[in-house]
Amino acid sequence: MNSLTMFKVIHNRSLTHLNRNRVVKCKEKKENSGNFLGRRNLSMKEILDKRSDSGNKIKISQPFSLELGGRLESLEISWKEWGNSSGPIILLCPSFSMGSHAHSTVENPNRGWWEEVIGSGCGLDTDKYRIICPDILGAPFGTTSPLSKRGPLSDVKDGVSEGEDFGGYEAWGPDFPTVTSRDQVRVHMKLLEHLKINKIHAVLGASLGGMQALAFAAEYPDFVSKLAAMCATGKTSPGTVAYRYVQRMAITTDPNFNGGRYTKDKLPLTGLAVARALGTICYRSRTEFDTRFQWEASEPYGPHGVSFEVESYLKAQAAKFNKEYDANCYLTLSKCADLMDLGRGFSSYEEGVKRIKADSFLVGFEHDFLIPGTELKRVSDILKENGKKSEFFSHPSIYGHDPFLKEFDWINEKLSKFLKDKG
């Protein structure tokens, strides 16, 4: 048996094991496939309206100042929740491309992005916990973002702009101010204050959601008892910035981008597709791709054709993403992730990390091309050196940056133990 065949056998056995066990770990799991929103020729307002899938929403009519300057005159915050209304509270922070739909609801039965982790008997056990998942500041899912109304057109600088008109109001579009994970978790805290919550059991998330979890535990050290973060960082490294910069370049150089003032008839879909395809490569691993996809080419063989199975996969991922995302929101959150730094405003990175008091469970993935697991290990080491309880685990999954969306059995087992452990 050659090395390639052996890789494929191991990979297929791993997938079989995951698929066999995934459905029996938790009760009442749904396997509904999600419906993807058709993007082309929809206005930003229509996109935003379609994103309101019967979740909860509040409006806070007070100015909200941002960490790096600028402010929002008001905030809209959308969220969903599941579980025991009187149980310990878990704040679940979504990642870059995920909204608050982490689990299906009566109003929206489509499968959530953590359908297998939230439920009776799961890692986030709805018999025990109250799980709150807010949409994040800057994302196109309901909380204030570049798609949101900015203010009356008569109050907008330079008069009527080329942005979307919401019946006398302009969308923020490219003028949306820079946001950071610190801003995002301050919005989460606004929601918790509205819900009259003065303490939570745990905050957790993965990728950009993990950055929010870290930021929340640092900003509000006495408010949370436990912290779980996966494939995240306390300070974004130059290597990661480089990947995201090229993704942003793909969007901003699309002829339809028009400085961010694109219209529903001319959306920067080519640039957004390239950004997503590159992101998909960063989110997965060479080991997975080399074992999952055929190595042989097929017709058409020309330079403009799709000759390899992996090319078809990247094309499909890009097309799917184009149906549900907005370019200005992408740029906002991409820069937000790059600006992650727990040490900003403190004498050192270590001083910023040391603010965290919560017991922490931090997970890096060995094949993560985007954020090396060593970055969370450094956070864990700093915490332990300063007398905090922290466990770091390096997971060998072949799924690159994305095992948090794949390795559900392992996540359920570890989260269940961590959340109920009294320390």
Side-chain angles (χ1 to χ4, degrees), residues 11-78:
H11 175 63
N12 289 337
R13 285 176 180 169
S14 174
L15 288 179
T16 300
H17 174 74
L18 283 174
N19 290 333
R20 182 176 65 245
N21 291 336
R22 182 177 301 163
V23 297
V24 299
K25 285 292 184 181
C26 305
K27 293 178 282 184
E28 300 177 357
K29 292 292 93 184
K30 300 178 179 63
E31 295 298 332
N32 297 334
S33 59
N35 296 321
F36 297 103
L37 172 64
R39 266 295 303 275
R40 196 174 297 275
N41 296 328
L42 290 177
S43 70
M44 290 189 225
K45 181 178 185 299
E46 289 169 322
I47 295 166
L48 196 57
D49 288 344
K50 286 180 179 290
R51 277 292 171 191
S52 300
D53 55 4
S54 301
N56 307 290
K57 178 170 284 193
I58 58 169
K59 181 172 183 178
I60 300 176
S61 300
Q62 296 175 345
F64 182 80
S65 297
L66 299 162
E67 180 185 5
L68 299 180
R71 73 175 191 176
L72 302 167
E73 295 305 317
S74 64
L75 284 173
E76 287 190 333
I77 307 172
S78 58

Side-chain angles (χ1 to χ4, degrees), residues 370-385:
L370 184 65
I371 303 178
T374 52
E375 297 185 19
L376 270 184
K377 185 178 185 302
R378 185 184 177 197
V379 173
S380 183
D381 288 345
I382 292 170
L383 293 174
K384 286 188 288 189
E385 288 166 4

